Amino acid sequence: MIVRADAERTSTAFGMLDLRIQRWIWTEKWSVLRDAQERAIPALVGCDRDVLIAAATAAGKTEAAFFPILTHLLADTRDTGLCIYISPIKALINDQFMRLERLCEQLELPVWPWHGDISSSSKNRFFKQPSGVVLITPESLEAMLCNRGFQAPQLFAKLRYIVVDELHAFIGTERGKQLQSLMQRMELAVGRKVMRVGLSATLGDLGMAAEFLRVRGGSAVEVINSNSDPVRLQLEIKGYVEPSHLLAEQQDAPAITTSFIVQDLFDTLCGSNNLVFPNTRGLVEEYAHALGRLCEQQRVTNEFWPHHGNLSRDIREETEAALKNKALHATAICTNTLELGIDVGAVKSIAQIGSPPSVASMRQRLGRSGRRPGEPAILRGYVTEQALAKDSTLDIQLRTGLFTFAAMVSLLEEKWVEPPQTNGLHFSTLIQQLLSLIAQRGGVQAGDAYRTLCVQGPFPALGKPDFLDMLRHLGKLELIQQEASGVLLHGTKGERIVNHYSFYAAFAAEEEYRVVCDSRVLGSLPISSSVSIGDYIVFAGKTWRVETIDEEGKTILVSKTSTGKAPVFTGGKGQLHAKIRERMRELYRGTGVPHFLDAAAVLLLQEGRDSYARCRLDQRVMLSMGSNIYLLTWLGDKQNEALAAVLRKAGLSVSASGPAIEIFAKETGEQRIAHCLRAFASQPPPDAQQLLAGVFNLRREKWDWALPEHLLKKSYASLQMDVAGAHAWAQQYAAASQEQDH
DNA sequence: GACCTGCTGCGGGATG
């Protein structure tokens, strides 16, 4: 057997694996182990350290983790161990289950897929024999701890490893804090350390990711960073100019440039598989509909399929099947539903309409193309700018849309991605974890809860007095109550909430209407998107008339029509990192032309540079235009948000706007703004409580409504602002303006 | 001018 000889000759790690796993690798005809696998096996097989594996999407990360883990679980022949694998999405659990079960069948090791769609009979069988591999979501794990807390020590008695897949998808989120807390609670239940394994393809900073995996112990995590062969990139940004007079006259008509972009997509993408990312669900609908119509007009089979989170599973699977079907050419118009885990096979190119939300996201998207040996990863960018007019805003004059996109692409080429955002406090999730801990243990001492969740857990930023404040507030809201003995229990309201299944998710979800046509569910629309009877809408790439709206049953009935308009989906704003603004400024100051711009985009680049020079933005920080003053910091959105709060507190009417802060009412005067900035710089940075005094409407996360005011402000500020960064900038500004005065 | 993710236990009734 040649295959066997190859594997043995080139690999020492191979010999460390259980013989049955070696045999399985031979029968699968794998000639060599991948780099990540080769290095992960010795790191994991001894079960004596935490490991972070960073490797490209198709580099066999799952096997890299499971070959040595299964080997370790099988080593004790009398008592097979347990491994818990945690995934952010159900579809990934289903995928991994199919891959893993083929192997584990041979090993006589049970694999337990575990999420909301799995029957309780399978789950009950696990409770009788808790060993093997459990593939689970954080929410299902939360439910297990909540409802079977007393059994936790027995259930996890044999737990050896916790594997977290798509680690980057958790970092910096409510679910991430929840996950860290769950891992901590499992370890406490069994009274010992359990080895943690993180898997990811898109990590901006491995040290921070390691620290996320093991709070206060990141430096001891073994990091395996496997860069497989770098893929050749083929990048292009095409520029388009929207005639402004037409836009003003016909508000409702689709923009002229949209139809140019649609035509270009049609011409370049037909005949191959591609993904198109227009950034919003509404635009996914618009483009899918427009491309479908174009196919109809040209009398060719439609090759364009919509995909986003509000479409029914049914419709999403149609799109996924079209992409996987080798007999068809298919292009998906999608949101980041197709950015994560689900396997849709290799695609030829990615089209990005408008700049992406982050460089990390653009890289993840691009990772979907160029997966076959020798093929490049192709990114086609499209940027629309409005025609220049006398009254054009600064934004339009500077062509910030093009410069943002170009800066991001140039950073992508340098392999830079945003570092993970780990300083969010997420006190909302602390409340959830406290209530869940009470459920798990049937009551908990306040000091014990503080130690578990804050001192040793993922919420170390909360001091003891603040924690007690929070408990008192939760008591007032009847979420918790304290027994005479000091034990914390659920209050009447807390009891009701914890006993409903909606408790297990750490993140908030908006209520939605189901959209139904002839008893087929097409998907859902958020309650907030205003839709009335008789409206014509675009949904799932087709047009419909709204027939009835059932408020009780939360259902919208529609029928087919021939015209319609994409519905409005609401949402927050992305946060641009300061590094991108820095790169934009270098582009304005430079004279070179990035190789990835087409002729029209180069013209826009020149127009932007002309405006930058004309406004003398290299020398000045403030610029009066129309009735406003712009404070051009060129900082990231979080720093600008903090500066805007500082100015707002001084009584100015302001709004953070791209690379600048816009100050309304020119009569304010540049002097007054300069004075505010110097005053801010001369004092130590204010805390959130001072900065957000008198500011309302700060609730963003699921349990924010139950936080005492000052903790809500602290949590909000940690997520939305960088006060220290803003302060550092103000100090630089103050020093520079002093020099000018002398 | 943002996007996405997730969900138990129990009881009643039908079916094999």
Side-chain angles (χ1 to χ4, degrees), chain A residues 279-318:
Chain A
N279 290 348
T280 72
R281 288 166 286 182
L283 285 174
V284 165
E285 291 294 355
E286 251 174 56
Y287 278 95
H289 175 56
L291 284 160
R293 282 245 309 247
L294 200 50
C295 289
E296 240 172 65
Q297 285 166 13
Q298 310 270 331
R299 296 175 199 286
V300 295
T301 321
N302 183 26
E303 295 184 16
F304 299 92
W305 305 74
H307 197 287
H308 63 74
N310 281 74
L311 295 175
S312 69
R313 186 141 147 207
D314 200 31
I315 289 173
R316 282 200 261 179
E317 280 171 0
E318 265 178 27

Coordinates of all heavy atoms in Angstrom, one line a residue, chain A residues 279-318:
Chain A
N279 N -24.1 44.3 0.8 CA -24.1 44.8 2.2 C -25.4 44.9 2.9 O -25.4 44.9 4.2 CB -23.4 46.2 2.2 CG -22.0 46.2 2.0 OD1 -21.4 45.1 2.0 ND2 -21.3 47.3 1.8
T280 N -26.5 45.0 2.3 CA -27.8 45.0 3.1 C -28.8 44.1 2.5 O -28.8 43.7 1.3 CB -28.5 46.4 3.1 OG1 -29.0 46.7 1.8 CG2 -27.5 47.5 3.4
R281 N -29.7 43.6 3.3 CA -30.8 42.7 2.8 C -31.7 43.3 1.8 O -32.1 42.7 0.8 CB -31.6 42.2 4.0 CG -30.8 41.2 4.9 CD -31.5 41.0 6.2 NE -31.4 42.2 7.1 CZ -31.9 42.3 8.3 NH1 -32.5 41.3 8.9 NH2 -31.7 43.4 9.0
G282 N -31.9 44.6 2.0 CA -32.8 45.3 1.0 C -32.1 45.4 -0.3 O -32.8 45.2 -1.3
L283 N -30.8 45.6 -0.4 CA -30.1 45.7 -1.6 C -30.0 44.3 -2.3 O -29.9 44.1 -3.5 CB -28.7 46.3 -1.5 CG -28.8 47.9 -1.3 CD1 -27.4 48.4 -1.0 CD2 -29.3 48.5 -2.6
V284 N -29.8 43.2 -1.4 CA -29.8 41.9 -1.9 C -31.1 41.7 -2.7 O -31.1 41.2 -3.9 CB -29.8 40.8 -0.8 CG1 -30.1 39.4 -1.3 CG2 -28.4 40.8 -0.2
E285 N -32.2 42.1 -2.2 CA -33.5 41.9 -2.9 C -33.5 42.7 -4.2 O -33.9 42.2 -5.2 CB -34.7 42.4 -2.0 CG -34.9 41.5 -0.8 CD -35.4 40.1 -1.2 OE1 -35.7 39.9 -2.4 OE2 -35.5 39.3 -0.3
E286 N -33.1 44.0 -4.1 CA -33.1 44.8 -5.3 C -32.2 44.2 -6.5 O -32.7 44.1 -7.6 CB -32.5 46.2 -5.0 CG -33.6 47.3 -5.0 CD -33.0 48.6 -4.5 OE1 -32.0 49.1 -5.1 OE2 -33.5 49.2 -3.6
Y287 N -31.0 43.8 -6.1 CA -30.1 43.2 -7.1 C -30.6 41.9 -7.7 O -30.5 41.6 -8.9 CB -28.7 43.1 -6.6 CG -27.9 44.5 -6.7 CD1 -27.9 45.3 -5.6 CD2 -27.3 44.9 -7.9 CE1 -27.2 46.5 -5.7 CE2 -26.7 46.1 -8.0 CZ -26.6 46.9 -6.9 OH -26.0 48.1 -7.0
A288 N -31.1 41.0 -6.7 CA -31.6 39.7 -7.2 C -32.7 39.9 -8.1 O -32.8 39.2 -9.2 CB -32.0 38.9 -6.0
H289 N -33.6 40.8 -7.8 CA -34.8 41.1 -8.7 C -34.4 41.7 -10.0 O -34.8 41.2 -11.1 CB -35.7 42.1 -7.9 CG -36.9 42.5 -8.7 ND1 -37.8 41.6 -9.3 CD2 -37.3 43.7 -9.1 CE1 -38.7 42.3 -10.0 NE2 -38.5 43.5 -9.9
A290 N -33.5 42.7 -10.0 CA -33.0 43.3 -11.2 C -32.3 42.3 -12.1 O -32.5 42.3 -13.4 CB -32.1 44.5 -10.9
L291 N -31.5 41.5 -11.5 CA -30.7 40.5 -12.4 C -31.7 39.4 -12.9 O -31.5 39.0 -14.1 CB -29.6 39.9 -11.5 CG -28.4 40.8 -11.3 CD1 -27.6 40.3 -10.1 CD2 -27.5 40.8 -12.6
G292 N -32.7 39.0 -12.1 CA -33.6 38.1 -12.6 C -34.4 38.6 -13.8 O -34.6 37.9 -14.8
R293 N -34.8 39.9 -13.7 CA -35.5 40.5 -14.8 C -34.7 40.6 -16.1 O -35.2 40.4 -17.2 CB -35.9 42.0 -14.4 CG -37.1 42.0 -13.5 CD -38.3 42.7 -14.1 NE -38.0 44.0 -14.7 CZ -38.4 45.2 -14.2 NH1 -39.2 45.2 -13.2 NH2 -38.1 46.3 -14.8
L294 N -33.4 40.9 -15.9 CA -32.5 41.0 -17.0 C -32.4 39.6 -17.7 O -32.4 39.6 -19.0 CB -31.1 41.5 -16.5 CG -30.2 42.1 -17.6 CD1 -30.9 43.2 -18.4 CD2 -28.9 42.6 -16.9
C295 N -32.3 38.6 -16.9 CA -32.3 37.2 -17.5 C -33.5 37.0 -18.3 O -33.5 36.4 -19.4 CB -32.1 36.2 -16.4 SG -30.5 36.1 -15.7
E296 N -34.7 37.4 -17.8 CA -35.9 37.2 -18.5 C -35.9 38.0 -19.8 O -36.3 37.4 -20.8 CB -37.1 37.8 -17.6 CG -38.1 36.8 -17.2 CD -39.1 37.5 -16.2 OE1 -39.8 38.5 -16.6 OE2 -39.1 37.1 -15.0
Q297 N -35.5 39.2 -19.8 CA -35.5 40.0 -21.0 C -34.6 39.4 -22.0 O -34.9 39.5 -23.2 CB -35.0 41.5 -20.7 CG -36.0 42.3 -20.0 CD -35.4 43.6 -19.3 OE1 -34.3 43.9 -19.6 NE2 -36.2 44.2 -18.5
Q298 N -33.5 38.9 -21.6 CA -32.5 38.3 -22.5 C -32.9 36.8 -22.9 O -32.2 36.2 -23.6 CB -31.1 38.3 -21.9 CG -30.7 39.6 -21.3 CD -29.9 40.5 -22.3 OE1 -29.3 39.9 -23.2 NE2 -30.1 41.8 -22.2
R299 N -34.0 36.4 -22.3 CA -34.5 35.0 -22.6 C -33.5 33.9 -22.3 O -33.2 33.1 -23.1 CB -35.0 34.9 -24.0 CG -36.2 35.8 -24.3 CD -36.6 35.7 -25.7 NE -37.4 36.9 -26.1 CZ -38.7 37.0 -25.7 NH1 -39.3 36.1 -25.0 NH2 -39.4 38.1 -26.0
V300 N -32.8 34.1 -21.1 CA -31.9 33.1 -20.7 C -32.3 32.6 -19.3 O -33.1 33.3 -18.6 CB -30.4 33.6 -20.6 CG1 -29.9 34.0 -21.9 CG2 -30.3 34.7 -19.6
T301 N -31.9 31.4 -19.0 CA -32.2 30.8 -17.6 C -31.6 31.7 -16.6 O -30.5 32.1 -16.7 CB -31.7 29.4 -17.5 OG1 -31.8 28.7 -18.8 CG2 -32.4 28.6 -16.4
N302 N -32.4 31.9 -15.5 CA -32.0 32.8 -14.4 C -30.8 32.1 -13.7 O -30.9 30.9 -13.3 CB -33.1 33.1 -13.4 CG -32.6 34.0 -12.3 OD1 -31.7 34.8 -12.5 ND2 -33.3 33.9 -11.2
E303 N -29.7 32.8 -13.5 CA -28.5 32.2 -12.8 C -28.3 33.0 -11.5 O -27.3 32.7 -10.8 CB -27.3 32.4 -13.6 CG -27.3 31.6 -14.9 CD -26.0 31.7 -15.7 OE1 -25.0 32.1 -15.1 OE2 -26.0 31.3 -16.9
F304 N -29.3 33.9 -11.1 CA -29.0 34.7 -9.9 C -30.0 34.4 -8.8 O -31.2 34.4 -9.0 CB -29.1 36.2 -10.3 CG -28.0 36.5 -11.3 CD1 -28.3 36.5 -12.6 CD2 -26.7 36.8 -10.9 CE1 -27.3 36.8 -13.6 CE2 -25.7 37.1 -11.8 CZ -26.0 37.1 -13.2
W305 N -29.5 34.1 -7.6 CA -30.3 33.6 -6.5 C -30.1 34.4 -5.2 O -28.9 34.6 -4.9 CB -30.0 32.1 -6.2 CG -30.0 31.2 -7.3 CD1 -29.2 31.1 -8.4 CD2 -31.1 30.2 -7.6 NE1 -29.6 30.1 -9.3 CE2 -30.7 29.6 -8.8 CE3 -32.2 29.8 -6.9 CZ2 -31.5 28.6 -9.3 CZ3 -33.0 28.8 -7.4 CH2 -32.6 28.2 -8.6
P306 N -31.2 34.8 -4.5 CA -31.0 35.6 -3.3 C -30.7 34.7 -2.1 O -31.1 33.5 -2.0 CB -32.3 36.3 -3.1 CG -33.3 35.3 -3.7 CD -32.6 34.6 -4.8
H307 N -30.0 35.3 -1.1 CA -29.7 34.5 0.2 C -29.5 35.5 1.3 O -28.5 36.3 1.2 CB -28.5 33.7 -0.1 CG -28.3 32.6 1.0 ND1 -27.9 32.8 2.3 CD2 -28.4 31.2 0.9 CE1 -27.8 31.7 2.9 NE2 -28.1 30.7 2.1
H308 N -30.4 35.5 2.3 CA -30.1 36.3 3.5 C -30.9 35.8 4.6 O -31.8 34.9 4.5 CB -30.4 37.8 3.3 CG -31.8 38.2 2.9 ND1 -32.8 38.2 3.8 CD2 -32.3 38.6 1.7 CE1 -33.9 38.6 3.2 NE2 -33.6 38.8 1.9
G309 N -30.7 36.3 5.8 CA -31.2 35.7 7.1 C -32.7 35.8 7.2 O -33.3 35.1 8.0
N310 N -33.4 36.6 6.4 CA -34.8 36.7 6.6 C -35.6 35.9 5.6 O -36.8 35.8 5.6 CB -35.3 38.2 6.5 CG -35.1 38.9 7.7 OD1 -33.9 39.3 8.1 ND2 -36.1 39.2 8.5
L311 N -34.8 35.2 4.7 CA -35.5 34.2 3.8 C -35.7 32.9 4.5 O -34.9 32.5 5.4 CB -34.6 34.1 2.5 CG -34.5 35.3 1.7 CD1 -33.5 35.1 0.5 CD2 -35.8 35.8 1.2
S312 N -36.7 32.2 4.2 CA -37.0 30.9 4.8 C -35.9 30.0 4.5 O -35.2 30.1 3.5 CB -38.3 30.4 4.3 OG -38.2 30.0 3.0
R313 N -35.8 29.0 5.4 CA -34.7 28.0 5.2 C -34.8 27.3 3.8 O -33.8 27.0 3.1 CB -34.9 26.9 6.3 CG -33.8 25.9 6.3 CD -33.4 25.6 7.7 NE -33.0 24.2 7.8 CZ -33.1 23.5 8.9 NH1 -33.6 24.0 10.0 NH2 -32.7 22.2 8.8
D314 N -36.1 27.1 3.5 CA -36.5 26.5 2.2 C -35.8 27.2 1.0 O -35.1 26.6 0.2 CB -38.0 26.7 2.1 CG -38.7 25.8 1.2 OD1 -38.1 24.7 1.0 OD2 -39.7 26.2 0.6
I315 N -36.0 28.5 1.0 CA -35.5 29.3 -0.1 C -34.0 29.4 -0.1 O -33.3 29.4 -1.1 CB -36.1 30.7 -0.1 CG1 -37.6 30.6 -0.5 CG2 -35.4 31.7 -1.0 CD1 -38.4 31.8 -0.4
R316 N -33.4 29.5 1.2 CA -32.0 29.6 1.3 C -31.3 28.3 0.8 O -30.3 28.3 0.1 CB -31.6 29.8 2.7 CG -31.8 31.2 3.2 CD -30.9 31.5 4.4 NE -31.7 31.4 5.6 CZ -31.2 31.6 6.9 NH1 -29.9 31.7 7.0 NH2 -32.0 31.5 7.9
E317 N -32.0 27.2 1.1 CA -31.4 25.9 0.6 C -31.5 25.7 -0.9 O -30.6 25.1 -1.5 CB -32.2 24.7 1.4 CG -31.6 24.5 2.8 CD -32.4 23.5 3.6 OE1 -33.4 23.0 3.1 OE2 -32.0 23.4 4.8
E318 N -32.5 26.3 -1.5 CA -32.6 26.3 -3.0 C -31.3 27.0 -3.5 O -30.7 26.5 -4.5 CB -33.8 27.1 -3.4 CG -35.0 26.3 -3.7 CD -36.2 27.2 -4.1 OE1 -36.0 28.3 -4.6 OE2 -37.4 26.7 -3.8

